[in-house]
Each structure stands twice: as C-alpha cells, then as structure tokens.
C-alpha cells in the first residue's frame, strides 16, 4: 500500500483573501512625520518668513494640488532643495504641515486666520474644509470670536464660503439670524481651541 504524501502548506492554500492592516497607514504617516521632525530623509525645505521647514515632496504633492503641480510639471522648484513661499506666514505653514502629516489640527482664534490663508494658498482642500466647519460652528455659537475684529471675521467667512460643501445660510436662517444685518451683534469669540481631524 503506497504511503500518503504529506501536503505542503502552499498546496493546502487554495483561496484568495484581501488582508487589510488597520494601523499601517497611520504608522507610515507617523514615521514620515518623525522623519520630518528629525530632519532626515527629507527632500525639500520650505521657507516662510525666513523660517525653514523640512518636508517630503511626495507627502506634499499627495495632499496639495499646488505642490503636485510645483514638483511634477517641470517648474523651477521641482528640482530645488529649498522653496520660498510668499503670501503664507510661518505660523500658517507650520500648522498646514502639521495637518498634512497627522490629519489633525488644533484650531483656535489666534491661528485660524493664518491657517485658512495657508490652506487656501497651498490648496489643501481637506484643511480648508475643517477650517470652514470650525468657523461656522464658532459663528453659530453667537458668543465666540471676540478676539478678532469684524473685518477679520468677515474676511475669513468670505474665504470659507467659497466652498460649496457648507450651507451656512440655511443654518443661520434656521436660527432666525442674518449675516447681512448687524454683524457687530452677531459675532463674539471664545478662546477655547477645537481639535479637528480627518476620519
């Protein structure tokens, strides 16, 4: 009687299964952020108001059409080791990079204007979404934003309202308020920060 041949593990496996790691994406991004903090394996230095920030072109291009065009369309900056950014404050750029590498950002009255300007200039759409949502939440609380002038608040709202995903007029009308009347009585600002992050 012939002896039975033992099957190898490979012969026993017949099916296919797509396996997914819950932590891989976050761990890779965290490692890239650590590299950025340590200044290792970075291939570009961004400069705003004479302050320098290390970064990875691939990460920047992945979350910003502005950087994707800069680094992939044969522009002068595509091969540069340092890129000076005008129209962006060092604070705004620092916060924008923090969001790009972590997916979260601490928003508060003292930084929102710089962050919103940086997000708009650098075309960080997800960051703009969060800024707009933060502004709308704060405005609708009616006792927020006292640390900013009316003009600053209106400028930020005008910028955020360019994004069609938010329907602030509908929300405000539900509360029987109008942004077109008596802005002074409508806006005041809390100093409490708000953490917002992507899912």
């Amino acid at each position: 009687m012939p002896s039975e041949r033992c099957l190898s593990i490979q012969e026993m496996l017949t099916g296919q299964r797509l396996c997914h790691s819950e932590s891989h994406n976050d761990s890779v991004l965290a490692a890239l952020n650590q590299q950025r903090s340590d200044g290792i394996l970075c291939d570009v230095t961004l400069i705003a108001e004479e302050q320098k920030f290390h970064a990875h072109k691939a990460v920047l291009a992945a979350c910003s059409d502005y950087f994707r065009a800069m680094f992939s369309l044969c522009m002068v900056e595509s091969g540069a080791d340092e890129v000076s950014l005008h129209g962006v404050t060092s604070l705004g750029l620092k916060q924008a990079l923090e969001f790009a590498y972590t997916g979260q950002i601490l928003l508060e009255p003292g930084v929102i204007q710089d962050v919103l300007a940086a997000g708009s200039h650098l075309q960080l759409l997800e960051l703009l979404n969060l800024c707009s949502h933060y502004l709308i939440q704060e405005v609708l609380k009616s006792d927020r934003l006292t640390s900013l002038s009316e003009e600053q608040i209106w400028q930020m709202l005008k910028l955020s309202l360019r994004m069609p995903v938010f329907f602030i007029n509908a929300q405000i009308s539900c509360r029987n308020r109008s942004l077109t009347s008596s802005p002074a009585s409508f806006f005041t600002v809390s100093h409490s920060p708000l953490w917002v992050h992507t899912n």
Side-chain angles (χ1 to χ4, degrees), residues 9-49:
I9 294 295
Q10 185 172 359
E11 290 173 316
M12 294 172 63
L13 301 178
T14 59
Q16 291 182 335
R17 176 175 298 179
L18 179 63
C19 301
H20 173 71
S21 169
E22 296 291 341
S23 61
H24 178 73
N25 290 349
D26 290 340
S27 63
V28 169
L29 199 57
L32 288 169
N33 191 40
Q34 188 62 52
Q35 292 175 12
R36 178 178 71 94
S37 299
D38 296 338
I40 61 173
L41 300 180
C42 297
D43 54 2
V44 68
T45 300
L46 304 178
I47 304 174
E49 297 181 326

Side-chain angles (χ1 to χ4, degrees), residues 13-188:
L13 301 178
T14 59
Q16 291 182 335
R17 176 175 298 179
L18 179 63
C19 301
H20 173 71
S21 169
E22 296 291 341
S23 61
H24 178 73
N25 290 349
D26 290 340
S27 63
V28 169
L29 199 57
L32 288 169
N33 191 40
Q34 188 62 52
Q35 292 175 12
R36 178 178 71 94
S37 299
D38 296 338
I40 61 173
L41 300 180
C42 297
D43 54 2
V44 68
T45 300
L46 304 178
I47 304 174
E49 297 181 326
E50 299 184 356
Q51 189 169 346
K52 296 185 177 183
F53 301 89
H54 300 297
H56 304 84
K57 292 180 180 179
V59 174
L60 299 176
C63 57
S64 162
D65 289 339
Y66 175 90
F67 284 119
R68 184 175 61 181
M70 175 184 290
F71 297 136
S72 64
L73 296 182
C74 298
M75 293 186 176
V76 176
E77 295 88 349
S78 63
D81 295 327
E82 293 188 347
V83 176
S84 295
L85 298 174
H86 305 286
V88 176
T89 66
S90 58
L91 175 59
L93 180 57
K94 178 181 179 181
Q95 296 288 341
L97 288 174
E98 188 70 23
F99 173 77
Y101 278 84
T102 66
Q104 63 180 14
I105 186 169
L106 180 64
L107 294 177
E108 54 186 334
V111 303
I112 183 62
Q113 192 167 15
D114 293 274
V115 173
L116 192 56
S120 177
H121 185 82
L122 303 176
Q123 299 179 31
L124 293 164
L125 300 184
E126 196 64 34
L127 178 57
L128 285 177
N129 280 336
L130 296 179
C131 287
S132 298
H133 185 62
Y134 166 80
L135 283 170
I136 291 170
Q137 285 183 319
E138 291 296 298
V139 166
L140 291 178
K141 289 179 182 177
S142 77
D143 61 343
R144 303 290 191 182
L145 301 180
T146 51
S147 65
L148 301 181
S149 68
E150 288 180 31
E151 182 178 357
Q152 288 175 316
I153 295 172
W154 280 101
Q155 288 299 321
M156 289 189 296
L157 281 175
K158 283 170 62 179
L159 182 56
S160 68
L161 290 177
R162 294 174 187 170
M163 307 188 67
V165 67
F166 296 106
F167 301 97
I168 189 171
N169 289 334
Q171 297 182 55
I172 292 177
S173 63
C174 289
R175 304 233 345 215
N176 297 318
R177 303 197 177 198
S178 173
L179 285 178
T180 59
S181 61
S182 187
S185 63
F186 188 84
F187 297 118
T188 50

